[in-house]
Amino acid sequence: MAIPRWKLVDKENGGCYHVGARCVRRAWLCGRDPVSGRNFSHRRRWIEERLLALAKLFTVRVYSYAVMSNHYHISLDYRPKEKHELDDAEVARRWLTLYPPKDSEHLDALVAALAADTERITVLRDRLGDLSWYMRCLNEPIARRANREDDCTGRFWDGRFASKGLPDEGALCACMAYQDLNPIRAGMTNRVDAPEYTSLQRRLEEAEQEPERLDEPITPLQLDTTRRVVASGGPSLLEITLREYRDQVEWTAGRNRAPTVNERAPPTVPDPKSWLSMVASNRRRVPKAASPPRWTVALA
């Protein structure tokens, strides 16, 4: 039996999580279907833009992602307490951005009217601070859009989204590296900076325009709707710079391709064996009988 979501995600205090979803159909979600020959690569952009746009509305900060042929991964910092920092007007504005009204000409009046409904605002504030609602608002529109394109109905995603807690900075970095290495592991490319629709590629693209980014700590990602590009910024949980992280991922990729090569690990990997084990652990699914997180013990 599946583990209840409340046992996997701390809705009161939040934390860092590795989340994702997999397509239920034989046909590929975002790549070239080897059977039908149809190419669905354009859908990868749908998911990338959607997950980053939603991060501006919900209390989450996206640190990394990888959109593959039939699934995607996201590493994020979930901050449910930030919902209490939103005033009623901001909650209303975010909700109407999420679900735009037909009468967009009178948006300010609609925001004011919704903000005046105290009971409704309480419900909406809880939703904007809920990780499950973030994933719902990511997956449902993608499924509907893909179904329209395929001229079919039915389930698109394989059940609920997967989630796994990342207890510290080391676990977050290892999960990010695992995600950024996914295209290499899948044989889609052999270069760290080549894969499309991974967070590392977007960070390096930004660094090409702003070289100083390489020596700045890695910060959360967001969608710059004006320029239609992925940008980084804001407060961060991480101290590692983009240059250090890139070197770390490149070294990890080399070790995966040739484990016997005795290449010196970068300074940010003081214990190579433990680091490689942490990266590899993200491939394992959470067992059905996994022990609940420590924070749930206090509720027993």
Side-chain angles (χ1 to χ4, degrees):
M1 187 174 69
I3 301 174
R5 183 68 59 189
W6 64 269
K7 289 187 177 181
L8 298 175
V9 176
D10 187 348
K11 295 183 65 174
E12 294 297 324
N13 302 302
C16 293
Y17 292 89
H18 175 189
V19 298
R22 183 175 296 272
C23 186
V24 74
R25 301 179 191 154
R26 174 199 56 77
W28 286 16
L29 164 64
C30 302
R32 183 177 294 279
D33 189 328
V35 177
S36 69
R38 294 184 63 189
N39 192 342
F40 301 102
S41 296
H42 58 281
R43 294 178 179 172
R44 300 170 76 185
R45 185 65 176 177
W46 296 356
I47 297 175
E48 180 184 47
E49 290 187 346
R50 184 74 180 172
L51 73 89
L52 292 172
L54 290 176
K56 290 185 175 182
L57 304 178
F58 288 82
T59 58
V60 302
R61 296 176 182 173
V62 174
Y63 278 87
S64 70
Y65 59 86
V67 185
M68 305 297 289
S69 294
N70 65 349
H71 66 283
Y72 67 81
H73 300 274
I74 310 173
S75 290
L76 51 77
D77 178 18
Y78 171 45
R79 296 173 166 253
K81 291 184 178 180
E82 288 187 354
K83 66 184 180 184
H84 300 298
E85 300 174 8
L86 306 176
D87 60 34
D88 293 352
E90 178 63 14
V91 171
R93 185 196 65 79
R94 292 191 182 196
W95 189 257
L96 292 177
T97 301
L98 187 60
Y99 292 99
K102 294 181 180 179
D103 183 14
S104 58
E105 294 182 0
H106 302 89
L107 184 59
D108 291 342
L110 293 173
V111 168
L114 181 57
D117 188 342
T118 306
E119 292 186 4
R120 180 63 175 165
I121 286 295
T122 300
V123 172
L124 299 184
R125 177 177 283 107
D126 286 340
R127 290 179 180 178
L128 293 176
D130 191 325
L131 181 58
S132 291
W133 265 89
Y134 170 81
M135 294 299 293
R136 172 180 177 173
C137 291
L138 170 59
N139 285 342
E140 186 175 304
I142 298 298
R144 291 181 183 276
R145 192 172 179 181
N147 279 349
R148 285 195 301 269
E149 185 177 65
D150 293 339
D151 192 23
C152 68
T153 60
R155 291 179 60 183
F156 186 80
W157 300 104
D158 185 16
R160 65 180 187 170
F161 69 93
S163 60
K164 177 184 177 181
L166 304 173
D168 52 36
E169 181 178 338
L172 175 59
C173 279
C175 188
M176 291 169 57
Y178 166 78
Q179 293 172 10
D180 286 322
L181 289 171
N182 245 255
I184 295 178
R185 189 177 299 108
M188 299 167 64
T189 183
N190 58 3
R191 291 171 46 199
V192 167
D193 60 348
E196 293 186 349
Y197 305 110
T198 65
S199 51
L200 179 55
Q201 184 210 25
R202 298 305 187 209
R203 292 184 187 279
L204 294 177
E205 287 175 351
E206 183 183 36
E208 287 183 3
Q209 305 299 320
E210 304 174 43
E212 65 275 9
R213 293 285 189 181
L214 282 172
D215 297 306
E216 295 176 355
I218 287 179
T219 55
L221 295 165
Q222 56 188 346
L223 182 65
D224 185 332
T225 54
T226 303
R227 296 182 295 157
R228 300 282 293 180
V229 297
V230 179
S232 59
S236 177
L237 296 172
L238 302 175
E239 296 183 1
I240 188 171
T241 66
L242 177 56
R243 188 188 301 276
E244 292 170 336
Y245 176 71
R246 180 198 59 190
D247 294 345
Q248 192 167 307
V249 173
E250 287 180 341
W251 177 83
T252 306
R255 292 290 298 178
N256 287 340
R257 284 193 294 261
T260 58
V261 175
N262 187 22
E263 182 180 352
R264 184 184 298 274
T268 50
V269 184
D271 187 345
K273 186 175 181 180
S274 296
W275 165 255
L276 293 172
S277 178
M278 287 177 65
V279 174
S281 70
N282 289 284
R283 300 184 65 179
R284 307 187 189 115
R285 294 190 175 185
V286 179
K288 297 292 185 180
S291 300
R294 290 190 299 272
W295 64 268
T296 63
V297 175
L299 303 177

